[in-house]
Amino acid sequence: MAAIVFLHAFGSSGRAWQPQILQLGDRHRALAPDLPGHGATPGPFSLERAVASVRELIQDEPEPVHLVAISGSVSVALLTALAEPDRVAGLILSGGTARGRRGDAVQRVMMRLMPEGMIVNILKGMYSGGKAEHLDQAVQDLRRAGKATVLTGLAELGRLDLSDRLGEIKAPTLVLNGAKDKANLSHAEEIAGGIAGATLRVVPEAGHIWNLEQPDLFTRTVVEFVG
């Protein structure tokens, strides 16, 4: 059975996929690694190191894997699919980007000026999916990653431009975006438009980290796509 590899947002950890791991149970082999500089994995973080860690993980799998990515890790999944086309059976990409935009630079400047505690307070609601039961975990993960890791991730996304390479991706692809996550809708449209045969689905009443916000729907969407 092909494994499903869940890739977390920058500043989060593999623990953010716990609802999906628990719901999948024994039906699918599910992996949720911590990217470099996150959770239990030592830093520093870089896109290159993140992609290398995913490539190493999937090389050990007997079959090509499905990559499920949210937020910043969408770029990690895209880069992995480009580097390892024969090892990726499918892509589910939510709330991510294939290239930086001008507005992203403004966000980076603002966050660079903020103390780390303020960044944690701003992001913790989104990173917990707005759910009280995930709040402590989100705060712990953001503090573990730290300001430097988050800023590095944003800076590298700002320099990234995969728009001319999306057509190289042949894996079946489902692009998702929460209806409330308006800032990333144009990114989702660009990714879906650039990958041949990709499907774009806007999820009603969903925000950015909606696998925690609407866990049952997210898991069901993954299972239906993989099936």
Side-chain angles (χ1 to χ4, degrees):
M1 181 184 297
I4 305 174
V5 179
F6 292 90
L7 303 177
H8 61 78
F10 297 168
S12 184
S13 79
R15 297 191 302 173
W17 294 108
Q18 188 176 30
Q20 282 66 53
I21 302 298
L22 291 175
Q23 289 171 352
L24 287 172
D26 296 330
R27 291 179 293 164
H28 294 275
R29 175 168 162 74
L31 306 172
D34 293 332
L35 296 176
H38 297 78
T41 303
F45 174 84
S46 70
L47 275 178
E48 182 179 2
R49 293 191 75 221
V51 173
S53 70
V54 177
R55 292 178 67 183
E56 182 179 4
L57 176 70
I58 66 178
Q59 288 298 336
D60 293 333
E61 291 299 313
E63 299 179 38
V65 305
H66 299 278
L67 296 179
V68 181
I70 200 163
S71 191
S73 69
V74 165
S75 298
V76 176
L78 290 170
L79 287 164
T80 302
L82 288 166
E84 302 280 0
D86 295 334
R87 302 299 303 154
V88 177
L91 293 169
I92 301 178
L93 311 171
S94 183
T97 178
R99 66 184 173 116
R101 300 282 175 87
R102 183 175 300 175
D104 300 335
V106 176
Q107 181 189 33
R108 291 196 301 274
V109 170
M110 291 178 63
M111 291 187 70
R112 192 174 295 116
L113 297 172
M114 295 178 188
E116 184 171 299
M118 183 179 294
I119 294 174
V120 171
N121 284 332
I122 290 172
L123 295 179
K124 66 183 181 181
M126 179 175 67
Y127 274 51
S128 63
K131 297 290 187 70
E133 61 265 34
H134 300 304
L135 193 59
D136 286 346
Q137 173 185 299
V139 169
Q140 291 171 17
D141 286 342
L142 283 162
R143 288 176 176 165
R144 168 66 181 84
K147 177 179 176 178
T149 293
V150 174
L151 287 177
T152 297
L154 290 174
E156 294 209 7
L157 290 183
R159 293 190 292 268
L160 187 70
D161 189 350
L162 297 176
S163 53
D164 291 338
R165 298 198 64 196
L166 293 173
E168 299 174 30
I169 295 176
K170 307 304 180 186
T173 302
L174 174 61
V175 182
L176 303 166
N177 205 81
K180 295 179 181 178
D181 188 15
K182 299 183 187 301
N184 285 303
L185 181 56
S186 62
H187 293 296
E189 292 171 341
E190 179 176 40
I191 294 171
I195 300 175
T199 299
L200 172 62
R201 187 179 305 170
V202 179
V203 185
E205 302 302 317
H208 189 52
I209 310 295
W210 68 279
N211 71 294
L212 294 176
E213 208 175 55
Q214 300 187 41
D216 295 343
L217 177 59
F218 195 100
T219 305
R220 188 163 65 249
T221 300
V222 170
V223 170
E224 289 173 355
F225 179 79
V226 169

